[in-house]
Structure formats: structure tokens, C-alpha cells
Amino acid sequence: MTHQVSLQGEQTRNCGDANSSREDNVLSFTRSPPSNHGTTALNLVYQAAEVFRDMEEHAREIETRAQSLCKSAVDQLKLAEMRTEEAERSRREVINDAERKLQDASRALRQAEKRIVASEDQVTALEFRAQAAEAQLRDAKQALLLVEEAIRKRLLGSNSVNVGQHHAIAV
């Protein structure tokens, strides 16, 4: 048994030398006098319990931080989803509004085109009427000149020089 204890002691010393930077987390397993074996064992149990309590506390802190981070991430995700939904709603409203305005503009353009065609038809009809009126006016002037000439010939006698002058003035 002493051989086992000394072997364990040497392993502990070698382990302690190799991990000297982590002394806080390493329990000391040095050999104590035989009368203190019970006390040493009890101390080791207390030290192990304290290490486990520290580990559990550290785990609880990590879990609390992780839960807090998760809650924060979920809240941020919900906020981002709400913003995305709002942006999508706004986008749909803008598109619908633009479509309505485009339809209104299209309708107004078609009506304007119809009015332009109707106006062009009216202008064409008025031009034909004006041409017909001008032709009637020329015919009326011509008839008036003929009547005037006939009156002059019959009433005043045949004065061809005066008739030619009146004819030139009337035209």
C-alpha cells in the first residue's frame, strides 16, 4: 500500500508540475500523516463539493447569459419581422397606389385621345364647310357681277368700259 501511495504522490507531483498554471482548479493530493486520513478525506470531499458548487454556479451564470442572449435575439428577430412586414405592407400600398394612378392616367389619356380625334373630325368638317362656303361666296359674287352687268346693260346702256372697271373692283 505504501508503494501505491508513493506512486500516487509522485503522479500528483508530476501532474502538479505540468499544470502549475492551473493551480486554482487542481486539488492537492499530497500524503498526510495516517492520523489525518479521515480529516484529509473530509477536506477533499469539501473541496470537491466547493469545486462542484463553483462549477454549477458558473454553469448557471452561463445559462442565464445564454437565456438573456436568446431572449434578446428573439426580441430583435420579432422586431425585424415586424419591420419587414411593415415594409412589405408599405411596398404593396405604394404599388397599389401607383397602379391606380397609372390606370387613371391611362383612362384620362384614352379620353383625351378620343377628344382629339373628335376635334380633328370637327376641324375637318369645318374646313369642308368653309371650302363650300367660299365656293358659294365665289358663285354668289359671280352671280352678283352677272346681275350687275345685266342691269347696267339694260338700264344704263351698253358701257363696257365701266362694267370692266366695276368687275375689277368687285373681284
Side-chain angles (χ1 to χ4, degrees), residues 40-53:
T40 303
L42 190 57
N43 283 339
L44 289 176
V45 169
Y46 287 142
Q47 286 178 4
E50 188 175 326
V51 166
F52 283 123
R53 271 194 306 275

Side-chain angles (χ1 to χ4, degrees), residues 147-159:
V147 168
E148 203 177 284
E149 187 177 330
I151 290 174
R152 283 198 183 141
K153 280 185 184 180
R154 292 197 187 224
L155 295 177
L156 300 174
S158 169
N159 190 352

Side-chain angles (χ1 to χ4, degrees), residues 15-159:
C15 246
D17 292 343
N19 294 323
S20 61
S21 63
R22 294 177 30 184
E23 290 179 5
D24 294 340
N25 293 333
V26 177
L27 297 177
S28 172
F29 292 107
T30 59
R31 190 165 184 223
S32 60
S35 62
N36 290 337
H37 282 301
T39 307
T40 303
L42 190 57
N43 283 339
L44 289 176
V45 169
Y46 287 142
Q47 286 178 4
E50 188 175 326
V51 166
F52 283 123
R53 271 194 306 275
D54 289 345
M55 288 172 53
E56 286 177 348
E57 181 63 29
H58 185 65
R60 277 192 295 274
E61 289 172 2
I62 290 173
E63 184 179 2
T64 301
R65 271 189 259 132
Q67 287 176 348
S68 175
L69 288 172
C70 285
K71 184 180 181 325
S72 176
V74 166
D75 291 345
Q76 289 178 358
L77 181 61
K78 285 179 182 177
L79 183 62
E81 286 175 348
M82 287 177 9
R83 286 180 181 163
T84 301
E85 289 172 3
E86 180 61 32
E88 181 64 24
R89 257 192 310 277
S90 294
R91 184 188 68 82
R92 281 192 303 266
E93 287 174 7
V94 166
I95 288 173
N96 290 341
D97 189 43
E99 284 177 353
R100 276 192 301 275
K101 288 179 180 179
L102 184 59
Q103 288 173 354
D104 291 345
S106 235
R107 197 174 310 116
L109 180 62
R110 284 192 301 272
Q111 290 173 352
E113 287 173 344
K114 287 178 184 178
R115 285 192 297 265
I116 288 171
V117 168
S119 295
E120 287 173 347
D121 289 346
Q122 287 178 346
V123 166
T124 302
L126 288 174
E127 286 175 349
F128 284 133
R129 284 184 193 161
Q131 288 173 358
E134 286 175 358
Q136 285 178 350
L137 179 63
R138 277 193 304 272
D139 290 345
K141 280 185 180 179
Q142 188 67 28
L144 182 61
L145 286 175
L146 290 174
V147 168
E148 203 177 284
E149 187 177 330
I151 290 174
R152 283 198 183 141
K153 280 185 184 180
R154 292 197 187 224
L155 295 177
L156 300 174
S158 169
N159 190 352

